[in-house]
């Protein structure tokens, strides 16, 4: 079975995200979390999927000189792309409200770039999901921000939290990608990666 083959490798998840950790656990993989400071800067001429892939690649590449035989690094970056620009992680309450007002009553794209690195290979891919939110009142927005404090989340929200339950009216693509890791696509790409 492919999970048994994958578990013959030492898999390193290069992410602080508790959501990514949980999704990898539910996939059945044995792995170790190794975190470090990353720059999430990217060239200004990139857009959408290019940004997510670029940042994920750079995160994985930071392990290039220390990766050992039989190790695989998984690095990821999720962005929210709305009105042809990135809606990043909010810096404070007002910024979170501004971001949520922009996606309120609108469709946006959640894009996750994933980069796989071993001693002999480096492969990066991305997945994209379109998410439509109903209109949110200011009361709903501030309730969500004050209770859930979404300051570590691209687009200032977690789809699995209260706001996703009350506002998300349509998803076109992988739900798990919106949570933070396109595990179905990752599973397929890992199978190819170890061949």
């Amino acid at each position: 079975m492919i999970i048994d083959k994958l578990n013959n490798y030492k898999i390193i998840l290069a992410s602080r995200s508790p959501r990514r950790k949980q999704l990898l656990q539910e996939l059945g993989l044995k792995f170790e979390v190794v975190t470090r400071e990353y720059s999430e800067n990217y060239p200004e001429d990139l857009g959408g999927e290019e940004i997510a892939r670029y940042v994920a690649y750079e995160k994985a590449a930071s392990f290039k000189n220390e990766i050992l035989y039989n190790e695989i690094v998984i690095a990821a970056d999720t962005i929210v792309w709305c009105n042809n620009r990135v809606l990043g992680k909010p810096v404070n309450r007002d910024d979170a409200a501004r971001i949520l007002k922009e996606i309120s009553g609108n469709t946006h794209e959640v894009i996750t770039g994933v980069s796989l690195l071993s001693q002999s290979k480096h492969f990066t891919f991305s997945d994209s999901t379109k998410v439509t939110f109903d209109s949110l009142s200011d009361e709903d927005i501030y309730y969500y921000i004050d209770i859930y404090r979404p300051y570590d989340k691209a687009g200032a929200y977690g789809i699995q939290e209260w706001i996703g339950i009350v506002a998300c009216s349509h998803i076109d693509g992988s739900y798990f990608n919106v949570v933070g890791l396109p595990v179905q696509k990752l599973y397929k790409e890992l199978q190819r990666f170890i061949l």
Side-chain angles (χ1 to χ4, degrees):
M1 179 155 175
I2 190 66
I3 287 293
D4 295 330
K5 289 180 182 174
L6 285 167
N7 283 331
N8 286 328
Y9 290 83
K10 180 181 178 185
I11 296 176
I12 297 166
L13 174 62
S15 177
R16 286 185 181 85
S17 167
R19 296 163 294 281
R20 289 190 185 123
K21 181 179 175 184
Q22 181 185 0
L23 288 171
L24 269 194
Q25 286 169 336
E26 291 177 6
L27 192 58
L29 291 181
K30 294 175 186 167
F31 61 95
E32 175 186 340
V33 174
V34 178
T35 61
R36 54 178 57 162
E37 292 302 316
Y38 303 106
S39 167
E40 294 190 350
N41 295 329
Y42 51 86
E44 288 182 15
D45 60 331
L46 299 183
E49 293 194 29
E50 296 171 315
I51 295 169
R53 285 194 301 263
Y54 178 90
V55 176
Y57 176 88
E58 291 295 317
K59 286 179 179 181
S62 70
F63 287 82
K64 187 167 56 178
N65 295 328
E66 59 198 74
I67 192 162
L68 303 175
Y69 171 75
N70 216 41
E71 290 184 336
I72 298 173
V73 173
I74 300 172
D77 188 67
T78 300
I79 66 165
V80 170
W81 185 253
C82 185
N83 299 324
N84 288 315
R85 64 189 185 94
V86 174
L87 299 180
K89 296 173 184 173
V91 295
N92 55 37
R93 186 175 188 256
D94 289 342
D95 194 36
R98 176 192 62 78
I99 292 169
L100 290 172
K101 286 176 184 178
E102 187 159 350
I103 63 175
S104 170
N106 203 349
T107 296
H108 59 276
E109 214 174 338
V110 178
I111 305 164
T112 302
V114 180
S115 200
L116 307 176
L117 173 72
S118 69
Q119 265 192 347
S120 59
K121 294 182 190 175
H122 198 166
F123 177 69
T124 303
F125 65 93
S126 58
D127 199 21
S128 176
T129 305
K130 290 186 178 174
V131 181
T132 302
F133 268 32
D134 286 340
S135 294
L136 292 158
S137 68
D138 285 356
E139 185 180 19
D140 286 340
I141 287 170
Y142 285 109
Y143 169 81
Y144 173 70
I145 293 167
D146 293 340
I147 299 297
Y148 290 89
R149 306 184 59 76
Y151 303 115
D152 65 334
K153 296 177 177 71
Y157 79 93
I159 193 75
Q160 71 280 10
E161 295 175 340
W162 180 85
I163 202 161
I165 294 166
V166 301
C168 178
S169 60
H170 186 77
I171 293 180
D172 183 8
S174 166
Y175 166 81
F176 297 107
N177 182 52
V178 184
V179 175
L181 196 64
V183 282
Q184 182 262 350
K185 194 168 184 179
L186 173 61
Y187 184 65
K188 288 184 174 180
E189 296 299 349
L190 279 168
Q191 289 179 58
R192 290 191 188 100
F193 194 75
I194 64 172
L195 291 178

